[in-house]
Amino acid sequence: MSDDLDELKAALSAATPAPDAAKKAADIALARKNFAELQESRSGARHTSERPKTGFFRGVKNMIAGLNMRGALAASTALVALGLVVVLPLGELGPRFYGGSDWQTIERETQVSERESVLPELEERVPSLRSESLAVDEFVTAEQAGTAQSVLQGGGLYSTNNEAAKRSLSDRSRMSGQLAAEPLILAPAPDQVVILPESNTETFPDADANPLKVTAEEPVSTFSIDVDTASYAVVRSSLTVGQLPPKEAVRVEEMVNYFTYDYAAPEAGGAPFRPTVSVTDTPWNSNTQLVHIAIQGEKPAIEDRPPLNLVFLIDTSGSMNAPNKLPLLKLSLSLMLPQLTDQDQVAIVTYAGSAGQVLEPTQATERETILAALDRLHAGGGTAGQAGLQQAYAVADGMAEDGEVTRVILATDGDFNVGLSDPEALKDFIEDKRETGTYLSVMGFGRGNLDDATMQALAQNGNGQASYIDTLSEAQKVMVDQVSGALFPIANDVKIQVEFNPAQIAEYRLIGYETRALRREDFNNDRVDAGDIGAGHQVTALYEVTPVGSPARQTDPLRYGEQTVVSTEGELGFLKLRYKKPGAETSELIEMPIVEDGPLGSDARFATAMAGFAQLLRGETYLGEWSYAEAITLANAARGEDPFGYRAEAVQLMRLAQSLKR
């Protein structure tokens, strides 16, 4: 060890007062109190008319100001001796900058201005100490070092001036897909404090693609409808920052059902929805065909809708402290308010370290009151999802009256890391509550710890929809354009069953709906839950089928012959749908044959392009040599009317995926 270092250690030892157990205990208690307040994790709802001044650097400044001299020495020596540099991850899973470039620009400017404002005070309060590669425990006692490390790590921080450690961090980040480029340095060396990206704890439902079925062996296919759209937005959020999405995040049916199609509407006074079936050649295999099943729900007049009771259950845990999480969540909910009327009510419940009601049931037209309650929400603390759900349902029960629609809307980044977090346990809890008539929908925000698997389980078992909001434009689509479908059901427990004719169809496979599969006997069992259709909802499902005698057949005929079936002329199969009217216990049945007809319109062809795109992202083998270029060509040719640019955006995403795949 060098003489200079010995002299530095001796000076520090001489400057450190003798241990005082009572003073030490008081200091630790004060530090914990100050840190808890900075992390917004105090119990109970906080009501304030002032917007707090937040930000990482302001937090560091306030933390240092709240410590006594010895606490400041322990924490700030680690900061200043090792320097001050901010490394901000640009990749897909960064904690602060995931989303559009606008968010990144705003946050970077804020970080720079706050860094400049806090540096003078850091230099004034703590002596300027410099060293090549000193560890924290070389400056202070092990216990003090542990306290300082806890404070730093609690804010997502680690200090290092060790080049090997930085290289290791960079390598690990790239291996886990967290950094797409070199970190952005906002201050010159040797001042170095590194903000690590959040670890990737994202989870998605793990389901293999539906296998090819031999019609003679298994002619019947049964599944629940799905009107969720979360997968498309998750895919978009990945591609727009230069990352291919995780395979399991791509659900074909949600990619297809994200778009609006011009399907035939049901007749007045009849069933609440109308199915339409068409057949065409498969673009990626000329020797197979696609069976396109389209469902269009009725659109009741808005003035005829029942009163609506909404309980927003908002995650205010520390993981929500990012621009594309809680701030975007607040803006998203505010967009919805003008869609509500004076007969509707809104309440807000939060959950973090503990659950709390921050807005009692309030008439929806009292927008200033509701917006003020939203503005008071700040992220901090742990996550206790079960406690929040319990309180939200209790509030909803108090609001519900006969003839009204009551909904709990959970808005979260999906981080259920405290409390009842097991999907099966949550499923049982939500199933019990939906029987009361209060349904649950889920909106996801942010990336890095997105628990899509739990969110899907909650929404599916709560008879609600799952959405993912990555931009304000997506919030407009979900919270404004599609709000009636998400909140007002027209048919419950909708199931689809297709029986293929072995005399016409040798093989088939259902494209997507892996997480919605049902057993054959579930179709006629009214106790088995299935998906719901809301006002104006549309559902699309696609089967790829192999005609008898086609060279595309992938399985060998049986040696001893397959059962001979008398062909019903022209029928490829038979479609059945079961549904319950809202509040009914007994289902009703719709039936129709599947026959070949003319060429598909642009809507069906665009849906086919999206199904192909999703399968390419999943790396499925059924597409043969079909490529992104062909998906782009098909989608461009079938874009049709696109008033809001959603289809044009999809084509751009295809182009991005094509470039990233090379």
Side-chain angles (χ1 to χ4, degrees):
M1 187 175 293
S2 67
D3 293 339
D4 289 341
L5 182 56
D6 290 336
E7 292 176 5
L8 177 59
K9 290 179 62 178
L12 285 172
S13 298
T16 303
D20 184 335
K23 187 67 168 62
K24 172 182 172 183
D27 290 343
I28 292 175
L30 177 60
R32 287 175 176 169
K33 177 177 179 295
N34 290 336
F35 184 66
E37 290 178 349
L38 288 170
Q39 293 296 305
E40 312 287 0
S41 60
R42 291 169 291 178
S43 300
R46 300 181 301 104
H47 300 279
T48 176
S49 60
E50 296 181 347
R51 178 185 294 274
K53 297 178 179 179
T54 61
F56 163 65
F57 287 101
R58 193 175 299 278
V60 173
K61 177 179 178 180
N62 292 341
M63 180 184 73
I64 293 175
L67 295 174
N68 63 14
M69 184 58 195
R70 187 165 184 176
L73 180 63
S76 58
T77 296
L79 290 173
V80 178
L82 299 173
L84 188 61
V85 160
V86 178
V87 178
L88 304 177
L90 299 181
E92 175 179 355
L93 302 174
R96 296 177 182 272
F97 308 107
Y98 202 95
S101 59
D102 290 343
W103 288 118
Q104 296 178 4
T105 301
I106 292 170
E107 184 68 8
R108 289 173 185 173
E109 290 176 352
T110 302
Q111 293 287 342
V112 171
S113 67
E114 290 190 348
R115 175 178 60 80
E116 292 173 348
S117 68
V118 76
L119 278 174
E121 182 162 335
L122 284 172
E123 292 289 347
E124 178 181 343
R125 289 182 62 86
V126 183
S128 178
L129 303 177
R130 293 289 185 263
S131 176
E132 289 292 326
S133 58
L134 294 177
V136 172
D137 57 5
E138 290 188 62
F139 286 98
V140 294
T141 67
E143 184 172 1
Q144 290 170 332
T147 302
Q149 292 270 6
S150 297
V151 171
L152 294 173
Q153 294 174 16
L157 306 180
Y158 291 81
S159 297
T160 181
N161 194 38
N162 186 293
E163 292 299 324
K166 287 189 291 184
R167 285 194 299 272
S168 176
L169 163 64
S170 180
D171 291 342
R172 289 196 305 272
S173 299
R174 288 194 183 88
M175 288 174 64
S176 60
Q178 293 176 13
L179 294 179
E182 287 294 322
L184 175 66
I185 307 297
L186 294 186
D191 301 314
Q192 297 185 0
V193 172
V194 179
I195 300 181
L196 294 181
E198 293 178 359
S199 59
N200 180 8
T201 60
E202 294 188 329
T203 60
F204 299 93
D206 187 11
D208 294 331
N210 288 320
L212 189 72
K213 300 291 184 68
V214 177
T215 308
E217 299 172 359
E218 194 174 346
V220 178
S221 170
T222 308
F223 64 97
S224 163
I225 62 97
D226 184 7
V227 293
D228 294 341
T229 60
S231 179
Y232 178 88
V234 170
V235 167
R236 177 179 59 203
S237 70
S238 291
L239 291 174
T240 52
V241 293
Q243 297 281 346
L244 289 170
K247 171 185 173 181
E248 60 273 17
V250 184
R251 292 185 287 275
V252 179
E253 69 277 9
E254 294 185 24
M255 298 283 287
V256 172
N257 287 322
Y258 181 83
F259 301 90
T260 299
Y261 302 105
D262 187 20
Y263 293 155
E267 296 180 0
F273 58 86
R274 176 178 176 176
T276 303
V277 182
S278 55
V279 182
T280 188
D281 291 338
T282 306
W284 49 82
N285 191 338
S286 60
N287 293 310
T288 65
Q289 295 177 309
L290 284 182
V291 176
H292 179 274
I293 300 172
I295 296 175
Q296 174 66 61
E298 65 182 355
K299 302 176 182 178
I302 296 298
E303 57 270 17
D304 295 336
R305 74 167 177 82
L308 178 63
N309 302 311
L310 292 179
V311 180
F312 293 125
L313 175 57
I314 299 176
D315 182 352
T316 55
S317 61
S319 64
M320 292 290 289
N321 188 22
N324 62 337
K325 293 187 179 182
L326 187 58
L328 180 57
L329 186 159
K330 293 179 184 180
L331 287 172
S332 301
L333 297 186
S334 68
L335 292 179
M336 184 182 189
L337 294 180
Q339 313 306 311
L340 306 178
T341 69
D342 56 4
Q343 66 178 343
D344 304 324
Q345 291 189 91
V346 172
I348 299 176
V349 174
T350 64
Y351 69 94
S354 61
Q357 183 175 347
V358 299
L359 179 70
E360 62 184 10
T362 302
Q363 193 175 45
T365 50
E366 296 182 24
R367 294 174 190 168
E368 292 301 321
T369 301
I370 299 170
L371 290 173
L374 284 172
D375 193 53
R376 289 194 295 267
L377 302 181
H378 306 291
T383 308
Q386 183 196 18
L389 285 170
Q390 290 171 332
Q391 185 162 3
Y393 274 108
V395 173
D397 290 343
M399 299 169 68
E401 295 184 12
D402 290 341
E404 297 183 347
V405 173
T406 304
R407 295 285 180 268
V408 174
I409 299 179
L410 169 61
T412 177
D413 62 356
D415 189 5
F416 286 81
N417 58 9
V418 177
L420 188 60
S421 58
D422 177 67
E424 287 302 315
L426 284 169
K427 172 184 174 181
D428 294 340
F429 178 78
I430 299 301
E431 281 180 348
D432 291 340
K433 294 300 181 180
R434 78 176 180 224
E435 300 303 322
T436 67
T438 298
Y439 295 169
L440 173 72
S441 292
V442 184
M443 297 188 302
F445 292 82
R447 295 293 298 273
N449 57 344
L450 184 68
D451 190 349
D452 181 75
T454 299
M455 291 166 59
Q456 290 289 320
L458 290 175
Q460 289 183 19
N461 292 283
N463 280 8
Q465 280 79 56
S467 305
Y468 174 76
I469 296 178
D470 57 333
T471 65
L472 200 56
S473 295
E474 184 67 14
Q476 169 80 18
K477 183 176 185 292
V478 172
M479 307 297 289
V480 178
D481 300 342
Q482 299 175 341
V483 66
S484 61
L487 300 177
F488 300 101
I490 59 174
N492 297 138
D493 294 340
V494 183
K495 306 169 187 173
I496 296 178
Q497 187 170 83
V498 177
E499 178 185 355
F500 287 103
N501 181 356
Q504 299 286 338
I505 302 300
E507 300 165 335
Y508 69 90
R509 68 181 181 97
L510 174 61
I511 303 176
Y513 291 93
E514 286 84 2
T515 64
R516 300 282 185 160
L518 297 174
R519 298 173 299 180
R520 181 174 177 178
E521 60 267 27
D522 291 340
F523 183 75
N524 292 322
N525 186 349
D526 286 345
R527 299 184 63 184
V528 174
D529 182 61
D532 302 324
I533 293 180
H537 260 158
Q538 299 172 324
V539 181
T540 303
L542 294 165
Y543 283 93
E544 183 176 2
V545 300
T546 306
V548 170
S550 169
R553 179 167 182 170
Q554 298 186 38
T555 58
D556 295 329
L558 296 176
R559 176 180 177 85
Y560 300 104
E562 297 176 347
Q563 180 181 0
T564 301
V565 179
V566 177
S567 172
T568 301
E569 187 175 355
E571 286 189 13
L572 302 184
F574 201 71
L575 171 67
K576 298 179 181 179
L577 296 101
R578 280 202 176 275
Y579 71 96
K580 297 175 186 173
K581 293 181 178 178
E585 296 293 330
T586 304
S587 66
E588 300 186 30
L589 179 66
I590 297 175
E591 300 177 295
M592 62 184 300
I594 299 173
V595 296
E596 293 192 60
D597 53 12
L600 299 183
S602 61
D603 281 335
R605 287 186 288 116
F606 187 83
T608 300
M610 289 306 302
F613 174 40
Q615 292 176 90
L616 287 169
L617 289 173
R618 288 177 58 88
E620 294 182 8
T621 59
Y622 295 108
L623 301 185
E625 299 300 319
W626 203 68
S627 66
Y628 284 108
E630 290 165 298
I632 292 167
T633 299
L634 178 59
N636 264 327
R639 280 200 338 208
E641 293 187 12
D642 187 23
F644 303 115
Y646 294 132
R647 296 188 179 190
E649 176 193 66
V651 173
Q652 180 60 30
L653 294 181
M654 293 179 184
R655 296 181 64 219
L656 285 173
Q658 180 185 34
S659 297
L660 292 169
K661 191 68 175 178
R662 290 172 179 168

